[in-house]
Amino acid sequence: MDIDSWLRGIGLGQYAEMFRANDIDGELLGRLTSDDLKEIGVASFGHRKKLLEAIAQSGCAPAAAPAAPAMPTLIPTAVAPPPTSASVDAVGTVRRFMSPRMTLPIDWPEIIAHPGGETLDPDDWSEALAISRGILDDAVAYLRDVRDRPVWKEMPPEVRAFFDAPLPRKPQLLAEVYREVAETVMAYPMGNVHPRFWAWYMGSSNFTGAIGDFLAAIQGSNLGGGSHAAALMDRQVVDWLKTMVGFPRSASGTLVSGGSMANIVGLAVARNVKAGVDVRELGVAAIEKSLCFYGSDQIHSCHRKAMEALGLGNQALRRIPTDSALRMDVDALRAAIARDRADGLAPCCVIATAGSVNTGAIDDLPALAALASDDDLWLHVDGCIGALIAIAPRNAYRVAGIEKADSLALDPHKWLHAPFEAGCALVRDASAHRATFAVTPEYLQSAPRGLASGEWLHEWGLQTSRGFRALKIWMALKEHGVEKFGRLIDQDIDHAHRLSALIEAESDLELVAPTNINIVCFRYRPSGLDSAALKELNTEIMLRLQEEGTAAVSDTTVQGRHCLRAAINNHRTRGEDLELLVRETLRLGRAIATH
Ligand SMILES: Cc1ncc(COP(=O)(O)O)c(C=O)c1O
């Protein structure tokens, strides 16, 4: 059988050299499997399928073959010169790299049709679809069965070493690439989609949001601006967020990477509005009197970064003491403002925290709004944790007054469980917001019609190119409705109060801060240990809870006392998970203390 003409006859002449190099004759042809074809370098699923069908029809089918002798190795010994990628040689011959061992000659129809053209699209869409379906099956099972897996597990050295692999220069089959991802990345996650992940402060993502992220990437739109549906959806989601927190429709807003960026956006507008000079043109050095910002001593560390990035310096951020409930002491704030004024400085902005990262404390928003208004200060609210409590039917009262803020940072990747990343900055005075960031270079001019006739969304923040963050938020809100998200926030707050009650019922456990919303600060506290020993003991409990895969809690220090901290921002958590945490904390605490 003339394999060359047979291959040409079925439209796959491009594999002739490959078949020759592997000594595939008529007899061997009948015994080839899909894996063998893959092994010799037929990367395309569609081409393998076509070859096997043609083999079956050609009378070389395995059934007709005599008792199979041992299969010779399909790995060629003589190897073609090492190709780098597709290239065109001096006489115009296109050579395309197909596998680590093979080069293909010229007559590949797609390449002839598009000389010099390469693409990242799959060679075979039906194969890409088959692999994608497998990945989707795995993704569904991954979330469906998350409760059955440990929250976290330590990576073995060989998995760590995998990430030291050098830059890949040669292609690899997508199925193989995915297998590596499944065995390494997917097998060793941070764990925040697990029902017993309560460390630091994170949302737990959601399946619909993940589909939104996938579709956003498939569409690939750049949300820097333009006239297209994704840009309108971005605006719509910002409008929905304004509605959730009671901001007027006339306010502006922008979706950003997260709370830290959202705070920078709000504080940059505050600085520019209150500076008294054109900071954009002249820089902070031109500001006559140093600007002062005021937050509580519980303020999130991103505000320090914001002060530094805005050129004001860490010292511009005054840390005002908190009361026993860890809320900013309003009298102390008033005194600090008066002191700074007397010293010839320029009080500029009060940063209220609605849900502090340590304990969930919510500053007295109505009192701070009144003070800011009386003193002509900007009121920025860091609502990364707590702003969305405004949609929770039984707890919304806790953030009453948030709608009075001049600017507000909130985090859809926390209590809307959007997959990372999704933050949002809202600014009451849209013109001040735009005036802080808008620039119109000659290459980003608007046009009366066409693609550039839409709004330039990059004018509301620091990024030019922006991802399509809105879709993941939009799809989950449409699927579940905002009321369900509100109920889930109530549920998390209920969980935190139930956990606190369980802790209070145990003589060896104690609450270290009052539980306000969804953050519980507690420690294992047998009698007779000093604070250093307690810290060591509780740190060990935390590490063992993580290492045994039982639960992820983090730790902090509140009013000088080290403690464990469970931040329950998790729509998968159940009552039984909290009971397990208490039981395991006690068991580990006793075991560690005994040894
Ligand atoms: C109160 C508060 N502000 C800001 C941030 C920073 O948000 P992100 O991590 O989304 O940048 C956090 C993060 O947990 C926070 O708790």
mmCIF file of all heavy atoms in Angstrom, residues 200-202 257-261 263 299-300 302-303 353-357 382-385 411 413-414 420 422-423 565, ligand 1:
data_model
loop_
_atom_site.group_PDB
_atom_site.id
_atom_site.type_symbol
_atom_site.label_atom_id
_atom_site.label_comp_id
_atom_site.label_asym_id
_atom_site.label_seq_id
_atom_site.Cartn_x
_atom_site.Cartn_y
_atom_site.Cartn_z
ATOM 1 N N TRP A 200 -8.544 35.670 57.077
ATOM 2 C CA TRP A 200 -8.471 37.059 56.591
ATOM 3 C C TRP A 200 -9.879 37.560 56.259
ATOM 4 O O TRP A 200 -10.736 37.517 57.115
ATOM 5 C CB TRP A 200 -7.485 37.143 55.411
ATOM 6 C CG TRP A 200 -6.133 36.652 55.823
ATOM 7 C CD1 TRP A 200 -5.306 37.212 56.746
ATOM 8 C CD2 TRP A 200 -5.488 35.445 55.399
ATOM 9 N NE1 TRP A 200 -4.181 36.444 56.887
ATOM 10 C CE2 TRP A 200 -4.258 35.371 56.085
ATOM 11 C CE3 TRP A 200 -5.822 34.428 54.493
ATOM 12 C CZ2 TRP A 200 -3.366 34.320 55.895
ATOM 13 C CZ3 TRP A 200 -4.933 33.383 54.308
ATOM 14 C CH2 TRP A 200 -3.721 33.338 55.012
ATOM 15 N N TYR A 201 -10.086 37.958 55.021
ATOM 16 C CA TYR A 201 -11.466 38.347 54.692
ATOM 17 C C TYR A 201 -11.675 38.159 53.202
ATOM 18 O O TYR A 201 -11.174 38.946 52.397
ATOM 19 C CB TYR A 201 -11.766 39.800 55.087
ATOM 20 C CG TYR A 201 -13.250 40.017 55.180
ATOM 21 C CD1 TYR A 201 -13.901 40.019 56.412
ATOM 22 C CD2 TYR A 201 -14.025 40.142 54.031
ATOM 23 C CE1 TYR A 201 -15.271 40.152 56.498
ATOM 24 C CE2 TYR A 201 -15.382 40.272 54.116
ATOM 25 C CZ TYR A 201 -15.998 40.280 55.348
ATOM 26 O OH TYR A 201 -17.368 40.396 55.439
ATOM 27 N N MET A 202 -12.414 37.127 52.852
ATOM 28 C CA MET A 202 -12.590 36.827 51.422
ATOM 29 C C MET A 202 -13.988 36.355 51.142
ATOM 30 O O MET A 202 -14.624 35.734 51.984
ATOM 31 C CB MET A 202 -11.644 35.709 51.004
ATOM 32 C CG MET A 202 -10.239 36.100 51.250
ATOM 33 S SD MET A 202 -9.096 34.986 50.518
ATOM 34 C CE MET A 202 -7.671 35.508 51.444
ATOM 35 N N SER A 257 -10.102 46.741 40.665
ATOM 36 C CA SER A 257 -9.627 45.398 41.012
ATOM 37 C C SER A 257 -10.115 44.932 42.381
ATOM 38 O O SER A 257 -10.307 43.743 42.601
ATOM 39 C CB SER A 257 -8.100 45.383 40.987
ATOM 40 O OG SER A 257 -7.593 46.398 41.835
ATOM 41 N N GLY A 258 -10.301 45.863 43.307
ATOM 42 C CA GLY A 258 -10.706 45.463 44.649
ATOM 43 C C GLY A 258 -10.811 46.678 45.548
ATOM 44 O O GLY A 258 -10.735 47.833 45.089
ATOM 45 N N GLY A 259 -10.954 46.408 46.846
ATOM 46 C CA GLY A 259 -11.158 47.490 47.793
ATOM 47 C C GLY A 259 -10.000 48.462 47.883
ATOM 48 O O GLY A 259 -10.194 49.667 48.047
ATOM 49 N N SER A 260 -8.785 47.952 47.783
ATOM 50 C CA SER A 260 -7.632 48.842 47.916
ATOM 51 C C SER A 260 -7.650 49.895 46.815
ATOM 52 O O SER A 260 -7.449 51.089 47.066
ATOM 53 C CB SER A 260 -6.327 48.037 47.843
ATOM 54 O OG SER A 260 -6.337 47.027 48.815
ATOM 55 N N MET A 261 -7.902 49.454 45.590
ATOM 56 C CA MET A 261 -7.959 50.410 44.476
ATOM 57 C C MET A 261 -9.169 51.323 44.616
ATOM 58 O O MET A 261 -9.100 52.519 44.301
ATOM 59 C CB MET A 261 -8.042 49.672 43.135
ATOM 60 C CG MET A 261 -6.730 49.290 42.534
ATOM 61 S SD MET A 261 -5.504 50.601 42.507
ATOM 62 C CE MET A 261 -6.273 51.791 41.441
ATOM 63 N N ASN A 263 -10.514 52.385 47.323
ATOM 64 C CA ASN A 263 -10.186 53.422 48.309
ATOM 65 C C ASN A 263 -9.258 54.472 47.702
ATOM 66 O O ASN A 263 -9.439 55.668 47.919
ATOM 67 C CB ASN A 263 -9.550 52.783 49.549
ATOM 68 C CG ASN A 263 -10.594 52.177 50.481
ATOM 69 O OD1 ASN A 263 -11.599 52.830 50.788
ATOM 70 N ND2 ASN A 263 -10.397 50.954 50.915
ATOM 71 N N ILE A 299 -8.130 51.181 61.037
ATOM 72 C CA ILE A 299 -8.245 51.369 59.583
ATOM 73 C C ILE A 299 -7.385 50.354 58.827
ATOM 74 O O ILE A 299 -6.322 49.939 59.304
ATOM 75 C CB ILE A 299 -7.842 52.819 59.207
ATOM 76 C CG1 ILE A 299 -8.394 53.194 57.824
ATOM 77 C CG2 ILE A 299 -6.327 53.007 59.267
ATOM 78 C CD1 ILE A 299 -8.346 54.693 57.555
ATOM 79 N N HIS A 300 -7.872 49.942 57.670
ATOM 80 C CA HIS A 300 -7.164 48.924 56.871
ATOM 81 C C HIS A 300 -5.843 49.491 56.333
ATOM 82 O O HIS A 300 -5.749 50.674 55.991
ATOM 83 C CB HIS A 300 -8.055 48.477 55.706
ATOM 84 C CG HIS A 300 -7.540 47.256 55.003
ATOM 85 N ND1 HIS A 300 -6.671 47.321 53.938
ATOM 86 C CD2 HIS A 300 -7.759 45.941 55.235
ATOM 87 C CE1 HIS A 300 -6.383 46.089 53.530
ATOM 88 N NE2 HIS A 300 -7.040 45.230 54.291
ATOM 89 N N CYS A 302 -4.510 49.344 53.577
ATOM 90 C CA CYS A 302 -4.487 49.891 52.200
ATOM 91 C C CYS A 302 -4.555 51.416 52.219
ATOM 92 O O CYS A 302 -4.138 52.063 51.251
ATOM 93 C CB CYS A 302 -5.616 49.303 51.354
ATOM 94 S SG CYS A 302 -7.264 49.857 51.795
ATOM 95 N N HIS A 303 -5.050 52.006 53.320
ATOM 96 C CA HIS A 303 -5.130 53.476 53.371
ATOM 97 C C HIS A 303 -3.741 54.092 53.556
ATOM 98 O O HIS A 303 -3.480 55.194 53.078
ATOM 99 C CB HIS A 303 -6.097 53.925 54.469
ATOM 100 C CG HIS A 303 -7.504 53.528 54.145
ATOM 101 N ND1 HIS A 303 -8.310 54.265 53.330
ATOM 102 C CD2 HIS A 303 -8.221 52.429 54.503
ATOM 103 C CE1 HIS A 303 -9.477 53.648 53.193
ATOM 104 N NE2 HIS A 303 -9.437 52.535 53.894
ATOM 105 N N THR A 353 -14.839 53.733 58.640
ATOM 106 C CA THR A 353 -14.797 52.314 58.280
ATOM 107 C C THR A 353 -16.150 51.688 58.580
ATOM 108 O O THR A 353 -16.629 51.745 59.711
ATOM 109 C CB THR A 353 -13.691 51.584 59.081
ATOM 110 O OG1 THR A 353 -12.425 52.167 58.733
ATOM 111 C CG2 THR A 353 -13.656 50.111 58.757
ATOM 112 N N ALA A 354 -16.741 51.087 57.550
ATOM 113 C CA ALA A 354 -18.001 50.343 57.755
ATOM 114 C C ALA A 354 -17.635 48.869 57.696
ATOM 115 O O ALA A 354 -17.675 48.251 56.633
ATOM 116 C CB ALA A 354 -19.010 50.720 56.685
ATOM 117 N N GLY A 355 -17.252 48.340 58.846
ATOM 118 C CA GLY A 355 -16.803 46.959 58.907
ATOM 119 C C GLY A 355 -15.290 46.898 58.915
ATOM 120 O O GLY A 355 -14.669 46.819 57.852
ATOM 121 N N SER A 356 -14.714 46.940 60.119
ATOM 122 C CA SER A 356 -13.245 46.943 60.183
ATOM 123 C C SER A 356 -12.720 45.532 59.981
ATOM 124 O O SER A 356 -13.391 44.535 60.290
ATOM 125 C CB SER A 356 -12.767 47.496 61.529
ATOM 126 O OG SER A 356 -13.093 46.581 62.540
ATOM 127 N N VAL A 357 -11.503 45.460 59.456
ATOM 128 C CA VAL A 357 -10.958 44.158 59.093
ATOM 129 C C VAL A 357 -10.671 43.301 60.325
ATOM 130 O O VAL A 357 -10.820 42.081 60.290
ATOM 131 C CB VAL A 357 -9.708 44.345 58.197
ATOM 132 C CG1 VAL A 357 -8.573 45.026 58.944
ATOM 133 C CG2 VAL A 357 -9.258 43.031 57.590
ATOM 134 N N ASP A 382 -14.866 53.548 53.876
ATOM 135 C CA ASP A 382 -14.323 52.258 53.448
ATOM 136 C C ASP A 382 -15.363 51.204 53.827
ATOM 137 O O ASP A 382 -15.430 50.745 54.973
ATOM 138 C CB ASP A 382 -12.984 51.989 54.153
ATOM 139 C CG ASP A 382 -12.415 50.620 53.770
ATOM 140 O OD1 ASP A 382 -13.151 49.823 53.146
ATOM 141 O OD2 ASP A 382 -11.242 50.350 54.096
ATOM 142 N N GLY A 383 -16.166 50.861 52.831
ATOM 143 C CA GLY A 383 -17.219 49.862 53.049
ATOM 144 C C GLY A 383 -16.882 48.542 52.406
ATOM 145 O O GLY A 383 -17.785 47.801 52.005
ATOM 146 N N CYS A 384 -15.577 48.252 52.294
ATOM 147 C CA CYS A 384 -15.187 47.011 51.618
ATOM 148 C C CYS A 384 -15.826 45.799 52.280
ATOM 149 O O CYS A 384 -16.257 44.864 51.619
ATOM 150 C CB CYS A 384 -13.672 46.881 51.611
ATOM 151 S SG CYS A 384 -12.936 48.085 50.509
ATOM 152 N N ILE A 385 -15.876 45.839 53.602
ATOM 153 C CA ILE A 385 -16.516 44.725 54.291
ATOM 154 C C ILE A 385 -18.013 44.977 54.434
ATOM 155 O O ILE A 385 -18.835 44.119 54.103
ATOM 156 C CB ILE A 385 -15.853 44.494 55.673
ATOM 157 C CG1 ILE A 385 -14.486 43.820 55.453
ATOM 158 C CG2 ILE A 385 -16.745 43.671 56.593
ATOM 159 C CD1 ILE A 385 -13.711 43.536 56.719
ATOM 160 N N ASP A 411 -16.759 46.202 47.861
ATOM 161 C CA ASP A 411 -16.047 45.051 47.304
ATOM 162 C C ASP A 411 -17.005 43.940 46.872
ATOM 163 O O ASP A 411 -17.309 43.044 47.664
ATOM 164 C CB ASP A 411 -15.097 44.494 48.380
ATOM 165 C CG ASP A 411 -13.635 44.648 48.007
ATOM 166 O OD1 ASP A 411 -13.352 45.101 46.883
ATOM 167 O OD2 ASP A 411 -12.780 44.313 48.850
ATOM 168 N N HIS A 413 -16.237 41.419 45.407
ATOM 169 C CA HIS A 413 -15.621 40.098 45.592
ATOM 170 C C HIS A 413 -15.626 39.656 47.052
ATOM 171 O O HIS A 413 -15.072 38.608 47.370
ATOM 172 C CB HIS A 413 -14.237 39.985 44.929
ATOM 173 C CG HIS A 413 -13.142 40.856 45.478
ATOM 174 N ND1 HIS A 413 -12.053 41.237 44.727
ATOM 175 C CD2 HIS A 413 -12.947 41.418 46.695
ATOM 176 C CE1 HIS A 413 -11.237 41.970 45.455
ATOM 177 N NE2 HIS A 413 -11.758 42.098 46.658
ATOM 178 N N LYS A 414 -16.271 40.424 47.888
ATOM 179 C CA LYS A 414 -16.498 39.939 49.249
ATOM 180 C C LYS A 414 -17.955 39.469 49.351
ATOM 181 O O LYS A 414 -18.255 38.334 49.052
ATOM 182 C CB LYS A 414 -16.145 41.030 50.261
ATOM 183 C CG LYS A 414 -14.625 41.320 50.296
ATOM 184 C CD LYS A 414 -14.219 42.196 51.464
ATOM 185 C CE LYS A 414 -12.724 42.250 51.676
ATOM 186 N NZ LYS A 414 -11.964 43.026 50.666
ATOM 187 N N PHE A 420 -12.591 36.725 42.225
ATOM 188 C CA PHE A 420 -11.612 37.829 42.194
ATOM 189 C C PHE A 420 -11.318 38.190 40.755
ATOM 190 O O PHE A 420 -11.208 37.302 39.912
ATOM 191 C CB PHE A 420 -10.312 37.425 42.894
ATOM 192 C CG PHE A 420 -10.476 37.256 44.365
ATOM 193 C CD1 PHE A 420 -10.278 36.016 44.953
ATOM 194 C CD2 PHE A 420 -10.844 38.323 45.164
ATOM 195 C CE1 PHE A 420 -10.424 35.855 46.319
ATOM 196 C CE2 PHE A 420 -10.988 38.167 46.533
ATOM 197 C CZ PHE A 420 -10.784 36.931 47.107
ATOM 198 N N ALA A 422 -12.963 42.113 41.903
ATOM 199 C CA ALA A 422 -14.057 43.056 41.646
ATOM 200 C C ALA A 422 -14.239 43.976 42.839
ATOM 201 O O ALA A 422 -14.716 43.549 43.906
ATOM 202 C CB ALA A 422 -15.349 42.306 41.359
ATOM 203 N N GLY A 423 -13.829 45.210 42.680
ATOM 204 C CA GLY A 423 -14.088 46.260 43.662
ATOM 205 C C GLY A 423 -14.850 47.376 42.974
ATOM 206 O O GLY A 423 -14.989 47.378 41.746
ATOM 207 N N ARG A 565 -9.185 34.416 64.523
ATOM 208 C CA ARG A 565 -10.204 35.285 63.922
ATOM 209 C C ARG A 565 -10.891 34.514 62.802
ATOM 210 O O ARG A 565 -10.240 34.040 61.869
ATOM 211 C CB ARG A 565 -9.505 36.529 63.384
ATOM 212 C CG ARG A 565 -10.369 37.502 62.656
ATOM 213 C CD ARG A 565 -9.510 38.674 62.212
ATOM 214 N NE ARG A 565 -10.177 39.432 61.188
ATOM 215 C CZ ARG A 565 -10.288 39.074 59.930
ATOM 216 N NH1 ARG A 565 -9.781 37.932 59.520
ATOM 217 N NH2 ARG A 565 -10.923 39.841 59.063
HETATM 218 C C1 LIG B 1 -11.896 47.241 55.531
HETATM 219 C C2 LIG B 1 -11.114 46.839 54.314
HETATM 220 N N1 LIG B 1 -10.692 47.795 53.477
HETATM 221 C C3 LIG B 1 -9.984 47.486 52.369
HETATM 222 C C4 LIG B 1 -9.654 46.193 52.082
HETATM 223 C C5 LIG B 1 -8.830 45.899 50.864
HETATM 224 O O1 LIG B 1 -9.641 45.261 49.931
HETATM 225 P P1 LIG B 1 -9.016 44.382 48.756
HETATM 226 O O2 LIG B 1 -8.352 43.223 49.411
HETATM 227 O O3 LIG B 1 -10.219 44.012 47.951
HETATM 228 O O4 LIG B 1 -8.068 45.260 48.016
HETATM 229 C C6 LIG B 1 -10.066 45.181 52.935
HETATM 230 C C7 LIG B 1 -9.726 43.774 52.646
HETATM 231 O O5 LIG B 1 -10.128 42.862 53.314
HETATM 232 C C8 LIG B 1 -10.815 45.511 54.086
HETATM 233 O O6 LIG B 1 -11.209 44.570 54.938
#
